[in-house]
Amino acid sequence: MSGSRSSVMGRPRGFDIDEALERAMRVFWEQGYEGSSLADLTGAMGITKTSMYAAFGNKEQLFRKVLQRYANGPAGYFDDALEQPTARSAVEALLRGSVRTSTLPVGFAGCLTIQGALPACDENRPAHDALVQFRNEAVERLELRFGRAVEEGDLPGDADPRRLARYVMALAFGIPVHAANGLGRAELDEIADQVMMSWPGVS
């Protein structure tokens, strides 16, 4: 009996976890959290509901795994931007990355962290809150980067890291909204160009 149970529990799932998460990410990206039904998700992932629950947990748990995949994949430009040698190059890398990710040829216009949260009823509040936290943490991390830039003399001494971070992230999060509204990569790059033209320098 125990041998039979062990063989069943040890049986491979029969599907690629990474590929399933990738497909789930695209469903959430296109349809948002509320708009993505379990049937939509399992259909795109090519698995049954039972397999989804066994591998990823419920819909909210799956979404959190997808969000982490998004952060490490399409939105990985954010971490790269923070590693740039100057505040100016960090901002440009962030904005250009937002443009690229919002206009991926094989993806969907916009941003998972923006579109995934709208609308949100009480039942889906945890997913909404996870996205709010994701965005707030991005602002906080950028604020720390700008604080370091002030200390190093890379930004003017009177620069306010928090205001700058909020300003830049408002633009970075706004770019996907315009992409979803139909603006193309060239037009979105013009927004980034305008920001860089007015970026504060050290006098």
Side-chain angles (χ1 to χ4, degrees), residues 107-122:
F108 301 101
C111 171
L112 173 64
T113 64
I114 303 297
Q115 294 167 216
L118 301 175
C121 64
D122 290 342

Side-chain angles (χ1 to χ4, degrees), residues 21-50:
L21 275 177
E22 179 72 19
R23 293 181 179 183
M25 180 178 71
R26 295 191 176 282
V27 173
F28 282 128
W29 195 337
E30 180 184 25
Q31 300 176 195
Y33 183 82
E34 281 195 14
S36 301
S37 68
L38 288 179
D40 293 332
L41 291 164
T42 55
M45 297 161 79
I47 60 177
T48 64
K49 290 182 181 179
T50 301

